Amino acid sequence: MFRTFAEREFVGSSEVYTRLSAAIVERPDLADPLYAAPPRQRRAILYFAAAQYLLRTSATGHRLSEYLPVLGGTREPDDGLVPAFADLVSRYGPELGELCASRTTQTNEPLRAALLRPAFGLVARLLGDRPVGLVELGTSAGLLLLADRYGYRYTGPSGVRRVGRADPPHPLLLDCEVRGEQCPEYLDDSPLIASRTGIDLHPVEVDDPDQVTWLRSCIWPEHVERLARLDAALGEAREVRPPLIAGDMVGALPEVLAGVSAVPLVFSSNATTYLPSAAQDELVRVLDAEGRRRDLILVVNEAAKCGADLFTAGVPAPTAQAIGTLTVVAWLDGQPTVEVLARTGPHGSWLSWQPQRYRYAPPALG
C-alpha cells in the first residue's frame, strides 16, 4: 500500500509524503501504529494525517515540523526527514495508534467542487427550473454542499471560462485545468438549491477546534494554498450551516431522502471508495428503488469501480493519471440513464472531458 502511494498518489504532489512512504516500504516497522486502524482505513493518508495532527497538538515543536510548509516549516526534504519521522513514531507510537483507530480520512477539499460543477450544470439542463435537494454522501464538514458559494475558472484548449459566484473570497476562486474537449455550454448553468444535507459517520462540526484541527491535518505538507482554501470554505460553512447527519451513508440515506421535497441530487466525491463492496451494492439498490418511484439524480466523482461501474456493465479503464470518473445517473419518469462526463485528477486540479453514455445495468441488480 505504501509503495502504491509513493509511486502513484504522492509522487509529484508531496515530496515529503513520497519519501516517507518509500522509507516505510524499506522499514515497515515505521507504520506499526497504523495496524490499529480498521482494515479498510489502513492507508498512508490516514497515517500521515495522524502524524500531522500530533505535530499540531501534543508534539508541537518536534523537528519533523521543519519539513512541513503547512506548519510553517521551510526545510527541504533531506537525509534528516526519515530519522525525524522515526523519532516521532518512537515517541508517540501509542498516540498514533489511538488516532488511527478512532479517526477516518476526511480530506474535505473544496476544489473538488470544480469537478462536480459540470455535472451540476447538466442537472440544471435536465431539470429546468425544478429545484434540487442536495444530499452528500461522506460529507465531512459539508464544504462541497456549498458549490454555489464558490467561483470557478476553467482553463482549456478554448481559453478561460469563468463561472459561478462573481465575488468569492480569493481562495475560493477555484482553478481547474480542462484537458481534451472544452466543457459544454451547460457549465454556465447551476440548479436552484432548495435544501442541503450531508451524511457522514463522523461529520465535522465547524465550530469544534479539535475537529477542525483534524481536518487541517489531512492537508498534505506542501499544499499551503489548499490550507488557505479550506479555511475560507470553513468560513462559508459557518454562514450557511447545512445540516450534517451522523450516520452510515447507506443506512441513513432512505430517511434523509424521505425528508427532501425537491428533486434529490445525491452526490459523492472520493467517499464511496471507503465502502465495502456489499455496502456499495446496497447503495445501488437504495438509489434504484427511490429513483423508480420519484425523479432522482446521482452525481459521483469516484474511481470507476466505486462509481460508474456500479451502474453499468463496465466503463473503459481510465488513463494512468486519472483518479476519478465523473458520472451522472438520472432517474427521470422512472427511466434511468448513465453518462460519464469526464475523467478527473486528484483534489480537483484537472478534468478531461470525455462525455459518453452507457447502458444502465447495475451488477448489484442482476
Side-chain angles (χ1 to χ4, degrees), residues 192-263:
L192 177 64
I193 298 173
S195 63
R196 315 166 199 255
T197 307
I199 307 173
D200 199 286
L201 281 175
H202 306 286
V204 174
E205 170 53 57
V206 295
D207 290 327
D208 185 318
D210 182 71
Q211 293 188 43
V212 170
T213 296
W214 174 253
L215 202 59
R216 299 178 92 230
S217 299
C218 291
I219 302 291
W220 297 0
E222 299 85 353
H223 296 186
V224 177
E225 289 185 2
R226 285 182 61 199
L227 188 61
R229 188 160 53 240
L230 172 65
D231 289 340
L234 288 170
E236 296 294 315
R238 292 185 183 102
E239 289 190 24
V240 178
R241 297 192 178 276
L244 305 182
I245 307 300
D248 175 79
M249 69 175 74
V250 180
L253 183 56
E255 183 176 353
V256 170
L257 289 175
V260 177
S261 57
V263 178

Side-chain angles (χ1 to χ4, degrees), residues 133-218:
L134 296 180
V135 178
E136 185 182 7
L137 307 178
T139 194
S140 188
L143 305 185
L144 296 184
L145 288 165
L146 310 174
D148 57 320
R149 307 275 295 192
Y150 308 151
Y152 303 88
R153 188 162 49 198
Y154 295 90
T155 303
S158 301
V160 179
R161 289 181 67 179
R162 176 79 162 75
V163 300
R165 180 175 169 182
D167 60 343
H170 177 69
L172 296 180
L173 177 56
L174 308 182
D175 282 295
C176 183
E177 176 191 357
V178 178
R179 302 175 181 178
E181 302 178 35
Q182 183 61 287
C183 293
E185 290 184 2
Y186 58 67
L187 179 64
D188 298 332
D189 298 344
S190 180
L192 177 64
I193 298 173
S195 63
R196 315 166 199 255
T197 307
I199 307 173
D200 199 286
L201 281 175
H202 306 286
V204 174
E205 170 53 57
V206 295
D207 290 327
D208 185 318
D210 182 71
Q211 293 188 43
V212 170
T213 296
W214 174 253
L215 202 59
R216 299 178 92 230
S217 299
C218 291

Side-chain angles (χ1 to χ4, degrees), residues 258-318:
V260 177
S261 57
V263 178
L265 172 49
V266 181
F267 71 94
S268 71
S269 182
N270 300 82
T272 60
T273 184
Y274 293 98
L275 292 177
S277 58
Q280 293 175 354
D281 291 345
E282 179 61 20
L283 175 63
V284 172
R285 289 189 284 267
V286 169
L287 291 168
D288 182 79
E290 187 75 10
R292 297 294 185 176
R293 73 174 191 85
R294 66 186 290 198
D295 288 353
L296 170 74
I297 297 180
L298 171 72
V299 171
V300 288
N301 176 47
E302 305 279 355
K305 66 179 181 179
C306 306
D309 288 354
L310 301 179
F311 297 92
T312 73
V315 174

